[in-house]
Amino acid sequence: MNLFRNAKFFTTVNHLQDLPDTGAEIAFVGRSNAGKSSAINTLCDHVRLAYVSKTPGRTQHINFFELQNGCFMADLPGYGYAQVPEAVRRHWEGLLGDYLQTRRQLAGLVMIMDCRHPLKPLDIKMLDFFALTGRPVHILLSKADKLSKNDQIKTLSSVKKALKPFSERQAVSVQLFSSLKKQGIEEVNTTVAQWLSHTGKHMGDGKAETGE
């Protein structure tokens, strides 16, 4: 079963205090222009569920979608794009960071990386930052169709090797993915379904932890 198919837009949030009262959720994150929106649309079998912009850094909010099993998916702002106003960048980085550190419902993080440019410094920073939560990360090496089969295998092996230090702190997995070729959909489904089944549909009182 495709966990993501028939996902429905739920709400958009621009401030931490406005986060919805949901059950378990998974989040998608990635550097600007890494192919995150395309990956979400492909997984959900929907052309424009997540907006694909020609301008990197456009998404500045957290967009929530309800999955068919009653759990939720959060589309987080892209990181690493400098050509936006400084105040806007600080706001969405703060929103992104606070969400990842304090969201009790978050079962795991799906990170999107362009397979031609994986594990850039900001990706490493994100992995280090999220490792503090102890929650699992699954990496999609997107745009795999841009590489030959041989280069895909080499890239996947190289990234797996580079991720070994992170695996000592948390569960980290990685796969190849192509929105164009619809490659890797089943693997994402299997991984996320396992997270959600272990977490349970409902977690605590559904409120975000703020540390206050």
Side-chain angles (χ1 to χ4, degrees), residues 30-71:
R31 290 200 319 273
S32 296
N33 214 26
K36 175 170 59 69
S37 295
S38 294
I40 290 173
N41 288 335
T42 297
L43 288 168
C44 296
D45 196 21
H46 196 293
V47 178
R48 289 177 63 87
L49 187 69
Y51 186 81
V52 181
S53 176
K54 293 181 180 179
T55 305
R58 181 185 186 277
T59 304
Q60 300 169 14
H61 303 74
I62 299 177
N63 295 313
F64 287 87
F65 303 89
E66 185 172 6
L67 305 178
Q68 58 181 314
N69 67 350
C71 295

Side-chain angles (χ1 to χ4, degrees), residues 147-162:
L147 299 179
S148 67
K149 290 293 184 181
N150 190 47
D151 285 340
Q152 287 183 26
I153 294 171
K154 288 181 179 179
T155 298
L156 182 61
S157 177
S158 175
V159 172
K160 283 182 176 179
K161 184 177 180 180

Side-chain angles (χ1 to χ4, degrees), residues 83-101:
Q83 295 181 22
V84 292
E86 179 64 18
V88 173
R89 185 185 64 80
R90 285 199 309 268
H91 171 72
W92 94 53
E93 287 183 351
L95 178 64
L96 176 65
D98 287 344
Y99 170 85
L100 291 173
Q101 286 285 298

Side-chain angles (χ1 to χ4, degrees), residues 29-201:
V29 72
R31 290 200 319 273
S32 296
N33 214 26
K36 175 170 59 69
S37 295
S38 294
I40 290 173
N41 288 335
T42 297
L43 288 168
C44 296
D45 196 21
H46 196 293
V47 178
R48 289 177 63 87
L49 187 69
Y51 186 81
V52 181
S53 176
K54 293 181 180 179
T55 305
R58 181 185 186 277
T59 304
Q60 300 169 14
H61 303 74
I62 299 177
N63 295 313
F64 287 87
F65 303 89
E66 185 172 6
L67 305 178
Q68 58 181 314
N69 67 350
C71 295
F72 288 78
M73 170 179 67
D75 179 11
L76 305 183
Y79 56 87
Y81 189 70
Q83 295 181 22
V84 292
E86 179 64 18
V88 173
R89 185 185 64 80
R90 285 199 309 268
H91 171 72
W92 94 53
E93 287 183 351
L95 178 64
L96 176 65
D98 287 344
Y99 170 85
L100 291 173
Q101 286 285 298
T102 66
R103 187 65 166 169
R104 178 184 298 141
Q105 294 93 323
L106 187 57
L109 185 68
V110 178
M111 285 187 68
I112 316 299
M113 299 182 193
D114 187 325
C115 67
R116 299 165 297 178
H117 315 288
L119 294 175
K120 290 292 188 180
L122 282 175
D123 296 323
I124 300 296
K125 184 177 179 181
M126 175 62 71
L127 285 168
D128 282 332
F129 181 79
F130 193 66
L132 298 175
T133 70
R135 291 165 181 159
V137 176
H138 187 60
I139 296 171
L140 305 189
L141 298 176
S142 67
K143 307 181 184 181
D145 53 278
K146 301 293 185 180
L147 299 179
S148 67
K149 290 293 184 181
N150 190 47
D151 285 340
Q152 287 183 26
I153 294 171
K154 288 181 179 179
T155 298
L156 182 61
S157 177
S158 175
V159 172
K160 283 182 176 179
K161 184 177 180 180
L163 288 172
K164 284 185 178 179
F166 296 96
S167 300
E168 297 173 0
R169 297 177 294 175
Q170 66 190 131
V172 181
S173 51
V174 60
Q175 68 164 96
L176 295 164
F177 189 87
S178 169
S179 296
L180 181 64
K181 301 293 186 180
K182 300 189 184 304
Q183 173 186 354
I185 294 175
E186 290 185 6
E187 192 172 345
V188 186
N189 267 279
T190 299
T191 299
V192 171
Q194 288 175 347
W195 290 352
L196 294 175
S197 66
H198 291 160
T199 305
K201 186 174 177 180

